[in-house]
Amino acid sequence: MIDFISKIASELTISTKQIDAVVKLLDEGATIPFISRYRKEATGSLDEVQIMAIRDRIEQLRELEKRREAILKSIESQEKLTPELEKAIKKAITLSELEDIYLPYKPKRKTRASMAKEKGLEPLAKTIIEQRQSDISSEAAKYIDEDKKVLTEEDALQGARDIIAEWVNEDQEARKKVRQLYEKQAVITSKLIKGKEEEGQKYKDYFDWSEPLTKVPSHRLLAMRRGEKEMILSLDIAPDQTKALELLNNQFVASPNEAGQQVEEAVKDCYSRLLKPSMETEMRVATKQAADEEAINVFADNLRKLLLASPLGQKNVLALDPGFRTGCKLVVLDKQGKLLYNDAIYPNEPQKRVVEAGAIVKQLCEKFNVEAVAIGNGTASRETEKFVKEIGLPTSILILMVNESGASIYSASETAREEFPDYDLTVRGAVSIGRRLMDPLAELVKIDAKSIGVGQYQHDVDQNALKRGLDDVVVSCVNSVGVELNTASKELLSYVSGLGPQLAKGIVDYRNENGPFKNRKALTKVPRLGDKAFEQAAGFLRIREASNPLDASAVHPESYHLVDRMTKDLNCSIADLMNNAELRRKVDLKAYITDEVGLPTLTDIMEELTKPGRDPREKFEVFSFQEGINHMEDLKTGLVLPGIVTNVTNFGAFVDIGVHQDGLVHISHLADGFVKNPADHVSVQQKVSVTVLEVDIPRKRISLSMKSDPFGKRPVNKTVKPKKKDRNTGNGDLQDKLNQLKGMFNG
């Protein structure tokens, strides 16, 4: 059997000791954030990414082991398991290798070969494949049997060829050679299905497309597969057939005689009927998995940036969900996000009750000491922003646009109904907009991550893998920031290491019944929250007003005794140690090293004492769109505008420039030089400066550039159509390509 630990260590270039420690901790129920933060001595300070890689690989290998055991059991039940076969199965290191070994023993439905064997043609097949006898026709005549429906020599030869074709298909070496050919030289070809021209315009690029499978980017593969699923395109994956047949003939055809010709014919049939479909299926699965992984990684990276967006912090906020005919829903939230007031105002068309709406906003700002106004970036957002800016609010009140993507999902959710049972969807949506400004992470965890709108082909990828990947990101973000135990929602608490939905609900119920937690130790009084859950969760929970200052920090309770020793040695309090840098400099960390605690943990403790409970997110910065640019009609080629990146994909980045329609910066316009990976250049929530390349109002398409000189030496006051290039370079007519990409992306 495979030595899993050694194999993973070799693959990830991590020591076996570290791998072994991580696997044991995972098997004991430890979470990735906990292992990464509080078990650095055991793991050699591996980070979350490395620990996730170990977790995923050990699960894959264990699944492989389950399949190996099932195969051994199946062959043994057939009484065909020889010592040599058992050894080969135990040595197999990939699933495809295992399945190739198992293929001859795999229970099959009735096949052409099995029917030929029932007719007694297997001896003829053996004679032919030996290729020693040249007069095969006379040999085949011996097998003519009307009762068995072998009426002619050709019937006998056809049956024998069917048997030989199955032997070729089940030959491990043959499958290995053909698989390697597919992996290195397969070409993916996409064709339009006749009669689907009009229906499939967004797939126009792929009506007659081919490229090496090894070079197709994930977004293009997923686009073609979607086109196939929608029955617009037909796909084929194969290398040059001549090369494939040459490989097989070199292995199986040993003589130019009549027998050799029969074998060659059987090989050709095997390839087209058995091997090719089998290998194409394998390639489809493998490339789909790789494309899914890449798409999920893109989504996960975007989600991480969005979740860790800078929070405004605890401020009194007036939030507006803009609209025209139905008006703007208005809510006022206190510093903790509690709903204090709600109303509707009508400053925009068609009512245009500007004076009345302005008076209401000004009065509420004064009454509730509002410190910021949050405006959702949907319909009527720029008009509403203009209205608020012109009513004469104090300059100390921030007026900010908030990305409302997914707010409607939240407002209709069970979570929102439970939180605000007496209010309708519009009030809940406005509350979500205001809370997103105060703390994006705390609010966004209430929404299914797939609904936030920062993914790439998220509906086309494996949904279980997507959910796991996004859950990993949310868990990582929540635990890296930390959670205030006495104010956090059960949704936020559910992502804390070691908790989950049931314990999170239990914590909130206990808090509602007994009042705020006075210290971390009180968590153990929550029903069903045992020692293991406490160990996993405690370090990520904060209690700001606790009697022990360490309860507001990321220092784990299991390490409190070390800080107590430090304070005794220095004859000071914990608060003194936190507030006095001179005292901290006197601490000799080496004096506190034990068999269980080393310098990594002690260093973390000292960093936390310096900045206890510090929020790792960046400081909030005010951003404003260009004044006077509110609609697509206001855009002109060459205009330079501020924008915020809303999504990053493999083919470029989408940027909000304040006109209700995100523009696309194609990968070829992300930087002056060559860009391989857009995520290396831009990230979600990044503030950027972009130049308008083209505007297509009828199709709502905006092409943007982040190049310093996007038009080269051409004058910017003229409409510029990028030069058409060879489609196979991936850079065809820019606008056309961006339109198609955006169309498929939005689909």
Side-chain angles (χ1 to χ4, degrees):
M1 300 293 181
I2 301 172
D3 180 353
F4 291 166
I5 302 300
S6 296
K7 182 169 178 58
I8 297 172
S10 174
E11 291 173 351
L12 302 181
T13 321
I14 299 173
S15 74
T16 54
K17 182 179 178 182
Q18 290 171 291
I19 303 289
D20 189 52
V22 169
V23 171
K24 285 179 179 175
L25 285 164
L26 289 170
D27 287 345
E28 290 168 3
T31 68
I32 289 172
F34 177 81
I35 297 170
S36 173
R37 173 76 192 189
Y38 297 113
R39 290 297 178 263
K40 291 183 177 179
E41 283 78 8
T43 70
S45 298
L46 294 178
D47 61 28
E48 287 189 2
V49 174
Q50 293 169 306
I51 295 168
M52 282 183 199
I54 294 169
R55 176 201 65 186
D56 294 346
R57 192 65 180 117
I58 195 69
E59 288 178 359
Q60 290 171 357
L61 290 172
R62 284 173 173 170
E63 284 300 314
L64 179 69
E65 198 58 36
K66 284 183 185 177
R67 182 59 180 154
R68 190 194 316 276
E69 290 171 3
I71 287 172
L72 284 168
K73 188 175 180 181
S74 173
I75 299 175
E76 189 173 27
S77 68
Q78 300 173 43
E79 298 182 353
K80 295 178 181 178
L81 186 63
T82 64
E84 294 76 19
L85 182 56
E86 183 176 8
K87 184 178 179 181
I89 292 170
K90 289 182 176 180
K91 282 179 63 179
I93 60 174
T94 65
L95 185 59
S96 58
E97 188 179 350
L98 259 181
E99 296 296 347
D100 283 353
I101 296 171
Y102 182 46
L103 189 58
Y105 307 95
K106 195 173 185 177
K108 300 179 183 72
R109 298 172 309 203
K110 186 167 277 193
T111 65
R112 281 164 52 170
S114 65
M115 289 188 286
K117 288 176 182 177
E118 288 172 3
K119 294 175 182 179
L121 296 173
E122 190 167 11
L124 176 59
K126 289 179 179 178
T127 300
I128 292 172
I129 203 166
E130 287 172 358
Q131 301 171 63
R132 293 175 187 160
Q133 191 166 329
S134 58
D135 187 6
I136 293 301
S137 297
S138 59
E139 184 67 22
K142 300 176 184 177
Y143 292 86
I144 294 175
D145 187 333
E146 289 188 9
D147 293 338
K148 294 181 179 179
K149 295 184 180 179
V150 181
L151 306 179
T152 65
E153 292 176 10
E154 180 53 32
D155 287 345
L157 291 172
Q158 179 62 62
R161 289 197 299 270
D162 288 341
I163 295 170
I164 293 170
E166 188 170 272
W167 288 341
V168 172
N169 182 54
E170 293 177 349
D171 185 90
Q172 292 175 47
E173 187 62 26
R175 295 184 70 84
K176 183 178 178 181
K177 288 176 181 177
V178 175
R179 182 179 291 113
Q180 288 174 345
L181 182 66
Y182 266 77
E183 289 171 346
K184 294 176 182 178
Q185 298 185 31
V187 171
I188 182 167
T189 302
S190 170
K191 298 281 187 183
L192 172 72
I193 294 176
K194 190 175 180 181
K196 297 296 182 78
E197 291 86 352
E198 187 174 342
E199 183 183 346
Q201 274 304 300
K202 67 181 179 181
Y203 298 107
K204 185 179 177 182
D205 261 4
Y206 308 115
F207 284 1
D208 185 13
W209 176 274
S210 66
E211 67 180 309
L213 190 63
T214 56
K215 294 184 178 180
V216 61
S218 66
H219 65 271
R220 195 143 67 221
L221 179 73
L222 291 171
M224 286 188 279
R225 287 182 65 104
R226 183 189 288 183
E228 183 183 45
K229 186 177 180 181
E230 293 177 7
M231 301 181 72
I232 304 295
L233 307 173
S234 63
L235 301 185
D236 181 67
I237 298 174
D240 183 346
Q241 180 168 308
T242 304
K243 291 184 179 179
L245 292 176
E246 186 179 343
L247 275 176
L248 295 171
N249 287 334
N250 286 342
Q251 180 175 344
F252 293 101
V253 181
S255 173
N257 61 17
E258 187 181 346
Q261 292 169 9
Q262 291 292 324
V263 173
E264 188 172 349
E265 195 174 333
V267 164
K268 186 175 181 180
D269 172 56
C270 167
Y271 178 73
S272 61
R273 184 169 57 86
L274 301 172
L275 260 178
K276 183 182 183 297
S278 175
M279 290 299 141
E280 179 170 359
T281 299
E282 279 193 29
M283 293 303 105
R284 280 174 171 265
V285 170
T287 54
K288 175 66 163 55
Q289 286 177 341
D292 282 2
E293 184 176 342
E294 192 167 338
I296 291 169
N297 287 339
V298 169
F299 198 155
D301 287 344
N302 290 341
L303 180 63
R304 181 179 295 277
K305 297 292 192 307
L306 192 63
L307 292 176
L308 295 180
S310 308
L312 178 64
Q314 295 185 330
K315 307 282 185 184
N316 295 322
V317 170
L318 185 150
L320 289 164
D321 188 356
F324 287 113
R325 183 182 57 81
T326 57
C328 301
K329 181 54 67 175
L330 176 155
V331 298
V332 179
L333 310 174
D334 70 9
K335 295 178 187 290
Q336 280 71 46
K338 181 181 178 182
L339 176 61
L340 302 177
Y341 179 86
N342 79 92
D343 200 350
I345 57 175
Y346 301 87
N348 302 316
E349 299 287 356
Q351 296 90 345
K352 266 299 204 183
R353 288 151 55 180
V354 178
V355 175
E356 175 190 308
I360 292 172
V361 172
K362 290 175 74 173
Q363 182 184 3
L364 291 172
C365 286
E366 185 176 346
K367 179 180 179 180
F368 293 105
N369 191 26
V370 167
E371 298 165 271
V373 176
I375 303 169
N377 70 340
T379 304
S381 59
R382 296 305 303 279
E383 292 81 358
T384 305
E385 179 190 39
K386 184 174 184 290
F387 150 72
V388 174
K389 286 183 174 180
E390 291 178 351
I391 62 175
L393 293 178
T395 55
S396 59
I397 297 178
L398 300 174
I399 301 170
L400 303 159
M401 202 74 78
V402 177
N403 188 335
E404 62 178 49
S405 178
S408 60
I409 302 293
Y410 163 76
S411 64
S413 68
E414 181 63 37
T415 299
R417 288 196 296 272
E418 185 179 327
E419 192 172 4
F420 299 106
D422 301 324
Y423 296 95
D424 65 16
L425 277 71
T426 60
V427 175
R428 299 170 191 160
V431 169
S432 181
I433 289 168
R435 287 178 173 176
R436 283 189 193 197
L437 178 63
M438 298 164 70
D439 190 342
L441 177 61
E443 193 61 21
L444 288 171
V445 295
K446 299 176 184 177
I447 304 169
D448 180 358
K450 289 184 289 185
S451 303
I452 294 176
V454 291
Q456 174 183 313
Y457 295 99
Q458 59 261 42
H459 303 297
D460 299 301
V461 303
D462 182 291
Q463 295 301 294
N464 291 329
L466 176 62
K467 184 180 186 309
R468 184 178 200 184
L470 299 186
D471 282 349
D472 280 344
V473 171
V474 179
V475 167
S476 173
C477 291
V478 168
N479 289 282
S480 68
V481 171
V483 173
E484 174 55 47
L485 181 58
N486 285 321
T487 59
S489 66
K490 70 174 186 289
E491 288 77 24
L492 187 60
L493 285 166
S494 69
Y495 286 103
V496 171
S497 167
L499 295 183
Q502 291 304 314
L503 286 178
K505 183 178 184 301
I507 289 172
V508 173
D509 290 345
Y510 183 89
R511 191 174 70 196
N512 291 338
E513 292 173 11
N514 300 280
F517 289 92
K518 292 181 172 55
N519 51 56
R520 281 171 166 169
K521 191 174 180 181
L523 267 172
T524 57
K525 297 178 181 178
V526 174
R528 295 186 298 281
L529 200 154
D531 292 343
K532 188 68 180 179
F534 179 81
E535 176 194 59
Q536 297 294 308
F540 302 105
L541 296 168
R542 311 278 185 265
I543 304 176
R544 305 294 177 194
E545 306 300 327
S547 56
N548 186 339
L550 294 177
D551 281 352
S553 75
V555 177
H556 198 283
E558 67 186 10
S559 298
Y560 283 9
H561 69 283
L562 294 169
V563 181
D564 289 338
R565 277 183 56 198
M566 293 175 189
T567 56
K568 287 178 183 177
D569 292 344
L570 293 169
N571 193 26
C572 69
S573 68
I574 294 173
D576 291 337
L577 192 57
M578 286 180 165
N579 297 325
N580 191 323
E582 188 60 37
L583 283 173
R584 291 195 299 274
R585 279 193 285 270
K586 292 180 180 179
V587 176
D588 179 9
L589 294 182
K590 293 179 182 178
Y592 301 95
I593 294 175
T594 66
D595 291 340
E596 292 79 28
V597 181
L599 279 176
T601 294
L602 291 166
T603 301
D604 283 349
I605 289 172
M606 291 308 296
E607 287 179 1
E608 197 58 29
L609 292 175
T610 302
K611 296 177 180 177
R614 181 190 182 191
D615 194 322
R617 293 173 288 187
E618 293 182 3
K619 188 177 179 181
F620 186 87
E621 291 182 5
V622 176
F623 171 85
S624 296
F625 292 114
Q626 180 72 46
E627 292 285 348
I629 305 296
N630 302 328
H631 307 282
M632 286 185 68
E633 289 79 2
D634 299 326
L635 298 175
K636 304 292 182 186
T637 298
L639 197 60
V640 179
L641 299 168
I644 295 180
V645 177
T646 58
N647 202 355
V648 179
T649 73
N650 283 338
F651 52 80
F654 293 99
V655 178
D656 183 359
I657 53 176
V659 295
H660 309 304
Q661 179 65 49
D662 288 357
L664 178 59
V665 182
H666 186 261
I667 187 171
S668 61
H669 273 265
L670 278 173
D672 290 339
F674 173 74
V675 174
K676 183 178 181 181
N677 181 14
D680 293 337
H681 293 263
V682 289
S683 60
V684 169
Q685 293 293 300
Q686 182 178 335
K687 299 167 182 65
V688 296
S689 178
V690 294
T691 302
V692 178
L693 290 179
E694 279 193 74
V695 183
D696 185 341
I697 293 174
R699 292 196 289 177
K700 294 185 177 181
R701 304 286 189 248
I702 305 169
S703 302
L704 304 171
S705 176
M706 286 173 57
K707 286 186 172 183
S708 57
D709 186 11
F711 300 101
K713 296 179 180 179
R714 289 170 291 180
V716 298
N717 61 343
K718 294 182 180 179
T719 301
V720 178
K721 187 173 182 180
K723 184 180 179 182
K724 192 169 184 178
K725 299 180 182 178
D726 179 14
R727 185 180 60 185
N728 288 319
T729 65
N731 292 312
D733 174 56
L734 181 62
Q735 182 62 49
D736 203 35
K737 180 168 284 296
L738 299 193
N739 290 341
Q740 289 158 14
L741 286 170
K742 186 71 180 286
M744 288 182 290
F745 180 82
N746 286 339

